[in-house]
Structure formats: C-alpha cells, structure tokens
Amino acid sequence: MASIKDVAAEAGVSVATVSRVLNQHPSVSQDARLRVTAAVERLGYRPNAVARSLRTDQTRTLGLVISDVMNPYFTELARSVEEEARALGYSVIIGNADERPDLQDHHVTTLLDRRIDGLLVSPTDGGSPRMLDAARTGTPMVFVDRWIPGVDVPVVRSDGRAAVRDLVAHLYELGHRRLAIIAGPAATTTGRERVDAFREALGAYGLALPDAYIGQGDFQAASGRRVTEGFLGLAEPPEAVFAADNLMALGALDAVRARGMRVPDDIALAAFDDIPWFVHTGPPVTAIAQPTRELGRAAVRALVDRIEGRTGESVTLPARLVVRRSCGEAVPRDPLPTPSVPPVPSTPSPVRRSTP
Amino acid sequence: MASIKDVAAEAGVSVATVSRVLNQHPSVSQDARLRVTAAVERLGYRPNAVARSLRTDQTRTLGLVISDVMNPYFTELARSVEEEARALGYSVIIGNADERPDLQDHHVTTLLDRRIDGLLVSPTDGGSPRMLDAARTGTPMVFVDRWIPGVDVPVVRSDGRAAVRDLVAHLYELGHRRLAIIAGPAATTTGRERVDAFREALGAYGLALPDAYIGQGDFQAASGRRVTEGFLGLAEPPEAVFAADNLMALGALDAVRARGMRVPDDIALAAFDDIPWFVHTGPPVTAIAQPTRELGRAAVRALVDRIEGRTGESVTLPARLVVRRSCGEAVPRDPLPTPSVPPVPSTPSPVRRSTP
DNA sequence: ATCCTCCGTGTAATCGATTCCACGAGGAGG
DNA sequence: CCTCCTCGTGGAATCGATTACACGGAGGAT
C-alpha cells in the first residue's frame, strides 16, 4: 500500500508538503498542491489512520459499550449514536456486553487500548476497576441509559416516572388491582428505578407491591418467561404484569401462551421500551416509549463536547406511554385518553412514532 | 498515560526488554521479567495498540459491513461474528450501510484506512470501486449472506432453494394457488435468488409467477407495506404473499391490518429469515430460517484463514422451513405437522430454535 | 542598492511500540 | 588458558504520519 513517501516521490516534493496538502495547510503553492493531488489520485493513496493517530494522539473514534445488541432498543440506540457521530466526523466502535460484566470489561479494555477519543457506556453493573479508573483519570466518558451512582460522568437518559404513573392509571382504570412487575437486575440503575417508579405510582392509588409480585429478571427473554411462570403459579396471580424491558415482555408472552392463557383476557401485559414489533404481536403491546434516537444524539453531542474541551452536560428526556391492546380493550373511546404527546422541543423531536 | 519508556525506567531495564516481556519472548531472565511485570502493575501500564499496529502492520481487527443493523437477522449475524472473532483473538468493527451504497462505501473506506486485517461484507450493491479494488489488491475479504458475482472472494451464505420448495409445497397443500412475492433489490444476490427459487418451485407445481405478482421491495418495512397494498388492490389479489425478508413481512402485516383484513384468513403470509418475534406476531409467521450463527462463525473462520495464510473456502449451509400459522391452519393435526422443536443441543449447533 | 518580511519548502524530531544487531559475561570444550 | 557458544541485554532503526524550525528567494520599503 502506498505511503506518503511514495506520494512525495511521485509528486517530486517532500513528505512535509504532501502532508500539508492533505491537511489543507494554507502555505502550499498552487503548483505543489496540484502535483500532489495528481500523485495521490494516480497512486490511489489513502493516509494511514494508524500512523496519523499515533502522531496526533487522537483517533476520531468513539467507543460504545452497550448491554445487549439483540435488544432492539439498544440496536436503535447504537444506530443513532453512529449516525450522529458520523455527522460530527467520528467513527464508532461498538462493544456488546451481553449483560455480562466480564464482557463489558473486556470491551472497555480493548477500546481503551485502541486509544479511542471517548467512551459511551450503558453499564451492566457497578463498573469494573478499569472503567472507574478511566473515568477518574480523565478519559472523556458519558453514560447513556444506565449509569453508575457516585461516578462523576454526565448521564444521558430518559425519565420514565411520569410514563409509569400514566401506565398505572391506565391499568387502574381498566379495573386491574393486583399489579406485578418483572424487574431488571438490581445492579443497574434502570433495573432499580423502574421498580421504584412502579411502587410509587401504585402507592398513589393505595395499592401495595407485595414481594411476591416482584419477580427478579435480568433483562433477557428467558428470565421474563421464568418469572411469569412463577406469577401464574401463585395462589392469587396478578391481574397485570409490567415487564421492565421489551425482551422480558417477550418471555412473558411466551409463558402466558405456553399455559394456554391469553393476553389481555386472562392477564394484562405492559412493557418498558417500545419497539416496532409490539405493534404486530398478538395482541399489540402497551409500552413506555423512550426517545431513543434523541438519547443517542444527545449522548454523542455531550461526549464530543467533552472531547473537544467544551462542557458536555447530563440530559434527561421524558418517556411516554403508548397504549395498545395488551392491558384490555380501552372502554368505549373516552375515559382515559392516551396521554398527549409532550411538546416538540427545539430540533429533532423526541416523539417516537408508535407505528413503523 | 504511561508508555513503554516509563515502564523501562521504572523497572530499570531497556524498552527492548520490556517489549520482550510483553511479547513473551523466551530470552529474558527471570529477574528482569519479574521487575518488568511489577513495574507494569504499579503503573497500570497497557500497551498502545495504535503504536503496536503501526510497527507490526496488523491490527487484529476485522471489519464487518452489513446492510442494515435494524434487521434482526443482521444483528444476530453481527453478534455471532463478534463472538467467533473474539474467540480467535480479533476485534470487530461494524459498519451499518442501511442498504445505501454510499454509506457502504463510506464504511469500507474508513475500515481500510484503519488498516483492518480483513473485511467481511454483505454487499448492498455491485460494489464500489474502492471495495472491488481492495478485493483485487489482496485485502483479505469474505462475502457473507450476499455476494458480488465475478469477484474472486469466498462466499459464506445459506441456500434457501430447498426451503423455498418446501414452502411452496406447504402453500399448495393448503390450497393456495395464486402466489406472490415481495422481492428484494435486484442489485443484491439474495434479492434475485429468492425470486428465482420461488419461480422455479412454482413451476414444479405448474404454477406461473405473473409480473403483477412480483413486487419490487428494498428489504425495508416500508416497501413491504407499499407492495402489499398494491397486491391487495389488484382485481385478482394473490392468496399468499412471500416476503423476501423479515422487515418487508412486517410491512406486509401492516398493510393487511390497515385494510382491515386478517392473516391468514384473508391472505396468507410467509417470510424469508426467521426471527424470535415471528413466534409472537398475530398470527405467528411461517418463515424460512437461516443458520445465522453458523454463518457468522463460518465467515469469520474463512476470513481468519485468509488473513493467516491458510486457504479459507466458500461455505453454503442449508436453510429450513419453520411452519407456523400465517399460511392457514395446518389441517386437523397430522397431514403436515409443524416441525417439532429440535432438542436443545450441547453447544453450537447449526440448528436454530423456532422459539426463543 | 540594501535590508526586512513573508512565503513556500525541506530536514529532522517525534509519537510508542517491535526487532535486528552487537556486545559482554559466563560456561564448556580443547 | 584460550577459543567458541549461548544467553541476556541494550542501542538504534523502523513503521507512516505531523510539525517545529531553518533556509532561500522574491518583493516591498527606505
């Protein structure tokens, strides 16, 4: 592969001049510029990003460590991150932790070894020493979706509290009183928060959340199935189940079906994280939608701000309830209208379409 | 961040010795080795992968350019590619082309600029000059899923011909005679092949595939919807629709629902590419399942073989039909039973479960 | 005519590793 | 006791870029 030396020889100039042309440095004569670009063209030369990075100490690359690629929520997040990063002139390297702390650590380590300019993480646990260390020693970093309390890193996430309240109101309205939740891992902030928000919302209706109605899941489908089977086996099973993510809702659907029961006739189901497929499940699933694309964009912007010496603040965007049919048929047509869509802010709207 | 020089100083040896310890070179005294590892520990030193790559001319990184991350089929493929690569000591950088040739070219270019050791591509089109050039000049490369005819690069893919025959037999059995297809882009091999296989299978039953029953899609949901609306508007609409990928099937489901019709009562639906969600759609969708994980593994192995100087051959794996309910109820219970779920095998098996 | 700028260019140092080569010490063999 | 290996080690070149610095020539001011 041709190097800058070959180009210099071909153009009859020094490597310094070639470099200057490549980096649009002003003090290069028109003549030299032309000769160099011609030589570049002729040789099909492309600068070696590795060498450039070594010298400039920047890779123009962002690392993104997500909890689970197979989860459509994270897939969409990854996509919007890459999009925004590309727009700002950065590449993204994705690491999939698969909800495993050891894998998360592996990816953080390799990304750091490659000297990425900044790191976007949705932590699976409390954080490995390596990651905490990187955060402390000043590697530009931003948490997205989940975060680690006590670590001084901006967080870009969405707040589901209001949406969870709307959901509980919706369930109450439909006559459900025994409400259960399939929780995410307690090691994650989202795992804990969603349970808290749910309990709080129940409290507002004078409803309790007994321990038997809190099933411990791990954000993966299999756990949703297992927990739901447990609920269904109870002497007094819940009338409605709220899954803390979409994959566990899928597992719940499985469990209900396996038992020959039906949603919502026999049991109601709702999920955190809305995804296109929920429109087409039998029945369509009521879910809490996060402004995923906006989260991705905001996270990248905050990270790039940090990298380039600007401030880079935390951002919290509201989630919203999308009512479908999995909690029971909406009585006639009025009683509890779908909460109105929040006002559209400045640029790209956080509103998510509920149909693909 | 500490460099090899700092470690050398700390350990009281030369950088050469440190490097030798790091690379487990045999001729280092026990004493020096201990001192170096201690220094590494104390400083929290990690070798700079950028510098190492520059010197050794290898990055131990694979590039993967896929057509669309939001398509669960490709997500799963990406996941298995990363898994196998990691097992072999390589990292993976994913580029999402979003079915856009310009984006594909962008990613191929950046990956090449980063001097990845090898490239895995599922081409969106006939290939940009840059990609063709890389293939010709010896960059290790392997096509996965889709390929470009006439380019001398191994191909890892699955053959759906037999499964498509099984599908047509299934549809015929259920009494459907007017069969239509939502095709993928003609620029892709899979786009063309699936139509050909379908037509051929129809021929075996004395059925024709009129032009009106071939809808041109682009592997994205919106096109599936558009094409299906067209079919439904025909004076004599088809009795069954075969979508050439899962996203277009989703669009088809949309279109049918929007028209107030039902699957399979009013129209039958089947898809290429099976995904976990198809179990939970209303109704569950009959699909052709590719051995996705195996494809990813095989592709990585072939590519790494090439990189490390071994041969690295093409691989073709069979796809298989998974019957569910979207083409009509399997008559009573015997004639053509749903293929039983295969027993869960030990570890990697080419068999794909039809339920998550 | 002389001096000072400014502009375009080249030389060489540098980034952080790997690795070839040379060198000194110590042991074995004659 | 001398020679020859072997082994452990360090010096220095190298990978492909960027960039500080020096330098020569052209042009303007005096």
Side-chain angles (χ1 to χ4, degrees):
Chain A
M1 194 156 274
S3 85
I4 196 171
K5 266 191 213 148
D6 304 316
V7 177
E10 176 81 12
V13 297
S14 73
V15 295
T17 300
V18 176
S19 177
R20 279 189 274 257
V21 172
L22 260 30
N23 296 286
Q24 9 236 34
H25 186 99
S27 77
V28 180
S29 68
Q30 185 64 11
D31 174 60
R33 191 178 303 279
L34 256 34
R35 298 232 304 288
V36 169
T37 46
V40 164
E41 198 61 38
R42 231 172 302 141
L43 297 166
Y45 168 77
R46 294 247 80 211
N48 183 330
V50 174
R52 192 197 294 250
S53 294
L54 176 61
R55 185 57 235 253
T56 60
D57 198 36
Q58 55 161 327
T59 49
R60 295 210 69 88
T61 300
L62 271 24
L64 169 65
V65 180
I66 53 180
S67 326
D68 182 6
V69 248
M70 299 297 281
N71 183 329
Y73 165 71
F74 284 112
T75 313
E76 189 174 354
L77 187 68
R79 183 175 191 262
S80 76
V81 162
E82 195 276 336
E83 243 167 45
E84 183 70 8
R86 179 152 35 81
L88 298 178
Y90 286 81
S91 299
V92 176
I93 304 185
I94 302 172
N96 173 31
D98 244 337
E99 302 287 0
R100 283 169 44 189
D102 62 319
L103 255 189
Q104 168 179 278
D105 190 43
H106 166 85
H107 284 120
V108 169
T109 305
T110 23
L111 289 169
L112 256 22
D113 284 355
R114 286 163 181 274
R115 302 299 192 264
I116 46 144
D117 294 341
L119 195 55
L120 238 33
V121 191
S122 169
T124 294
D125 65 351
S128 60
R130 183 104 50 211
M131 192 167 98
L132 269 15
D133 207 70
R136 207 166 339 98
T137 59
T139 304
M141 201 187 285
V142 167
F143 288 138
V144 55
D145 186 54
R146 311 177 184 176
W147 80 98
I148 301 177
V151 178
D152 182 30
V153 161
V155 181
V156 173
R157 64 184 192 105
S158 83
D159 182 359
R161 237 156 247 278
V164 169
R165 266 198 301 275
D166 290 344
L167 171 64
V168 170
H170 172 61
L171 291 168
Y172 192 90
E173 196 95 9
L174 290 169
H176 302 304
R177 293 295 178 272
R178 298 198 306 277
L179 314 184
I181 184 169
I182 309 177
T188 62
T189 46
T190 48
R192 289 191 302 273
E193 280 180 352
R194 290 170 192 175
V195 176
D196 291 347
F198 193 59
R199 180 183 286 114
E200 193 181 302
L202 288 184
Y205 284 84
L207 265 28
L209 183 59
D211 283 350
Y213 282 3
I214 306 179
Q216 192 54 57
D218 61 5
F219 283 143
Q220 308 269 30
S223 73
R225 177 166 186 155
R226 184 174 31 72
V227 168
T228 307
E229 278 160 1
F231 286 157
L232 262 19
L234 254 29
E236 196 167 52
E239 294 158 337
V241 172
F242 174 40
D245 88 336
N246 66 71
L247 257 21
M248 296 194 297
L250 186 64
L253 230 31
D254 262 338
V256 173
R257 176 167 314 214
R259 218 172 163 109
M261 301 172 78
R262 289 171 55 194
V263 173
D265 314 75
D266 300 309
I267 190 163
L269 180 69
F272 208 105
D273 289 340
D274 189 25
I275 55 171
W277 301 98
F278 276 163
V279 176
H280 300 281
T281 44
V285 176
T286 291
I288 292 175
Q290 297 194 51
T292 319
R293 308 184 62 118
E294 273 314 291
L295 288 175
R297 290 183 131 81
V300 170
R301 281 194 294 249
L303 183 58
V304 170
D305 277 351
R306 296 233 133 184
I307 292 171
E308 299 179 353
R310 277 164 270 129
T311 330
E313 298 296 346
S314 290
V315 175
T316 305
L317 266 24
R320 65 176 232 283
L321 179 67
V322 177
V323 174
R324 298 208 183 84
R325 298 213 316 275
S326 63
C327 297
E329 213 51 64
V331 207
R333 271 292 164 202
D334 298 63
L336 194 124
T338 304
S340 68
V341 177
V344 184
S346 53
T347 24
S349 123
V351 178
R352 233 168 136 275
R353 303 168 54 216
S354 74
T355 341
Chain B
M1 195 156 272
S3 85
I4 196 170
K5 265 190 212 147
D6 303 314
V7 176
E10 176 81 13
V13 297
S14 73
V15 295
T17 300
V18 176
S19 177
R20 277 189 277 256
V21 172
L22 260 30
N23 297 286
Q24 8 236 33
H25 186 99
S27 77
V28 180
S29 67
Q30 186 64 10
D31 174 60
R33 190 178 306 279
L34 257 34
R35 298 233 303 289
V36 168
T37 46
V40 164
E41 198 62 38
R42 231 171 304 139
L43 296 168
Y45 168 77
R46 295 246 79 214
N48 183 329
V50 174
R52 193 196 292 250
S53 291
L54 176 61
R55 183 59 234 251
T56 60
D57 199 34
Q58 52 161 329
T59 50
R60 296 208 69 88
T61 301
L62 271 24
L64 169 64
V65 180
I66 54 179
S67 328
D68 182 7
V69 248
M70 299 295 283
N71 184 329
Y73 165 72
F74 284 112
T75 312
E76 188 173 355
L77 187 69
R79 183 175 191 264
S80 77
V81 161
E82 195 275 338
E83 241 167 48
E84 183 71 9
R86 179 154 33 83
L88 297 177
Y90 286 81
S91 300
V92 176
I93 304 184
I94 302 173
N96 172 32
D98 244 337
E99 302 286 0
R100 283 169 44 189
D102 62 319
L103 256 189
Q104 167 179 278
D105 190 43
H106 166 85
H107 285 119
V108 168
T109 305
T110 24
L111 288 168
L112 256 22
D113 284 355
R114 285 161 181 274
R115 303 299 193 263
I116 46 145
D117 293 342
L119 195 55
L120 238 32
V121 190
S122 169
T124 294
D125 65 351
S128 59
R130 184 106 49 212
M131 191 167 99
L132 268 15
D133 207 70
R136 208 170 335 100
T137 59
T139 304
M141 202 188 285
V142 167
F143 288 138
V144 55
D145 185 54
R146 312 177 182 174
W147 79 97
I148 302 179
V151 179
D152 183 29
V153 161
V155 181
V156 173
R157 63 185 192 105
S158 82
D159 182 359
R161 235 155 249 280
V164 169
R165 266 198 302 275
D166 289 346
L167 170 64
V168 170
H170 172 60
L171 291 167
Y172 192 92
E173 196 99 6
L174 291 168
H176 303 302
R177 293 296 178 271
R178 296 197 307 275
L179 314 184
I181 184 169
I182 309 177
T188 63
T189 46
T190 47
R192 291 191 301 274
E193 280 180 353
R194 289 170 193 175
V195 176
D196 291 347
F198 193 59
R199 180 184 285 114
E200 193 181 302
L202 289 184
Y205 284 85
L207 265 28
L209 181 59
D211 284 348
Y213 282 6
I214 307 180
Q216 192 55 54
D218 61 6
F219 282 144
Q220 308 268 31
S223 72
R225 177 165 187 157
R226 184 174 32 73
V227 168
T228 307
E229 278 160 1
F231 286 157
L232 261 21
L234 254 29
E236 195 167 53
E239 295 158 339
V241 172
F242 174 40
D245 88 336
N246 65 69
L247 257 20
M248 296 194 296
L250 187 63
L253 230 30
D254 262 338
V256 172
R257 175 167 314 211
R259 219 177 162 102
M261 301 173 77
R262 289 173 53 196
V263 173
D265 313 75
D266 300 309
I267 190 164
L269 179 68
F272 208 105
D273 287 340
D274 190 24
I275 55 172
W277 301 97
F278 276 164
V279 176
H280 300 280
T281 44
V285 176
T286 291
I288 291 175
Q290 297 195 51
T292 319
R293 309 184 59 117
E294 275 313 294
L295 288 175
R297 290 185 133 80
V300 170
R301 281 195 295 251
L303 183 58
V304 171
D305 278 351
R306 295 233 135 182
I307 292 171
E308 299 179 354
R310 278 165 266 127
T311 331
E313 298 295 347
S314 290
V315 175
T316 305
L317 266 25
R320 65 174 231 287
L321 180 68
V322 178
V323 174
R324 298 208 182 84
R325 299 211 317 273
S326 64
C327 298
E329 213 52 65
V331 211
R333 268 294 163 205
D334 299 63
L336 194 127
T338 303
S340 65
V341 176
V344 183
S346 49
T347 23
S349 127
V351 179
R352 228 170 141 278
R353 302 167 57 215
S354 74
T355 341

